Amino acid sequence: MRADTVAIAAALSDPTREAIVRLLIDGERSVGELAARLPVSRPAVSKHLRVLESAGVARVRAEGTRRLYVVDPAALATLRDELDRMWQRALARYALVANNRAPGGSGQQKEGRP
């Protein structure tokens, strides 16, 4: 897995950060709006947002004195693409096993098996 994908996955591995991302998918929100919908304090939400921002999952913009956060869809697409590649490799390996073939093998069945 690429370093950026690892950082994104690690950032999303925390349940609170996952909940924050789910809220941000619907649009921009301030720290206060997020904290009002989560069972954690505003300072805790700010810390989680910093992790999401440093991993590239969230972006921030200033609007007057407020800071508004939103999900960066490119980061989620990067993670989705990596998971798709992993899934395709897993399916290919499963097909080899299901067909009783070893990687790079001849495709013949092993001796003693029908």
Side-chain angles (χ1 to χ4, degrees):
M1 211 184 271
R2 294 179 8 199
D4 57 342
T5 308
V6 171
I8 293 166
L12 293 173
S13 68
D14 180 87
T16 301
R17 288 193 290 269
E18 179 190 350
I20 289 170
V21 168
R22 289 182 184 277
L23 291 170
L24 293 178
I25 286 173
D26 293 331
E28 289 183 324
R29 295 184 191 268
S30 68
V31 173
E33 291 170 317
L34 291 167
R37 305 215 33 209
L38 297 167
V40 294
S41 66
R42 288 172 67 120
V45 170
S46 291
K47 286 181 182 180
H48 285 296
L49 285 167
R50 281 193 295 276
V51 171
L52 291 169
E53 191 179 0
S54 70
V57 176
R59 292 185 309 221
V60 63
R61 73 176 183 86
E63 184 178 90
T65 59
R66 291 175 24 145
R67 293 172 55 83
L68 298 172
Y69 293 85
V70 68
V71 166
D72 184 346
L76 297 183
T78 298
L79 181 60
R80 184 192 62 235
D81 292 345
E82 181 64 24
L83 292 173
D84 285 345
R85 282 190 291 279
M86 291 170 63
W87 180 246
Q88 290 305 315
R89 286 193 304 263
L91 288 176
R93 295 286 301 165
Y94 178 76
L96 288 172
V97 171
N99 291 324
N100 199 20
R101 297 180 183 161
S106 64
Q108 296 177 355
Q109 290 184 345
K110 292 182 179 179
E111 209 173 288
R113 293 200 175 165

